[in-house]
Amino acid sequence: MSHQYSLWASVLVFAAFAAAAQTSGPTDAQIAAIVVTANQVDIDAGKLAESKSTNKDVQAFGKMMVTDHTGVNKSATDLAAKLKLKPEDNPTAQSLKKGGDENVSHLKTLSGAAFDKAYIDHEVTYHQQVIDAMDKTLVPNAQNAELKALLVKVRPAFVAHLEHAKGLQGSLEAKGAAPHSPKAG
């Protein structure tokens, strides 16, 4: 049930994102806010994984999320400052923040293997949805060439994160199927 909860929260966030995109595309200022918020959501969850997980691979993944997404946010905020583009709060950014806060609150109630599974399952879903949003909404609607270029430039990192999370997901599932495995966390 907890796994379904976090996936459902992610689906709702991105359903709101898609609905907003269909009526009219986000402006560059709104895209900047969405990018910063989406990264911050993953930074917050990554920090929790670093401190709460007892699995060294999950901890390392959480640390990588914090480092990589902090870097993307720095690039985004630096570019916004250069362009004199003030990130504009919008329903999509608000939904992302709300979904991220709910995910972290939910993860805080878990421990051990249940925490690791919920965190990694959410990361797989979240990264796939962010990639889809970049491809279908953010990149096509970005008017400024430098903003569009930044989105295109960071996309491969999101894909790499997704693949890494899927690999961890598979190893956690295999471990769950063989709980007495001598392989350490």
Side-chain angles (χ1 to χ4, degrees), residues 9 11 14 26 66 69 75 103 109 119 135 150 154 169 180 182 184:
V11 169
F14 283 96
V66 172
H69 289 288
S75 296
N103 180 51
T109 68
Y119 170 67
D135 293 347
L150 175 65
V154 301
Q169 190 178 47
H180 294 45

Side-chain angles (χ1 to χ4, degrees), residues 3-59:
H3 168 64
Q4 290 174 341
Y5 167 78
S6 66
L7 290 178
W8 182 244
S10 293
V11 169
L12 287 177
V13 165
F14 283 96
F17 196 169
Q22 287 172 359
T23 55
S24 66
T27 65
D28 285 355
Q30 291 170 332
I31 289 171
I34 291 164
V35 169
V36 169
T37 304
N39 280 289
Q40 190 59 51
V41 162
D42 220 14
I43 291 166
D44 293 344
K47 285 180 180 176
L48 186 63
E50 277 187 276
S51 66
K52 193 167 171 77
S53 178
T54 56
N55 180 309
K56 65 179 178 21
D57 295 330
V58 173
Q59 288 173 337

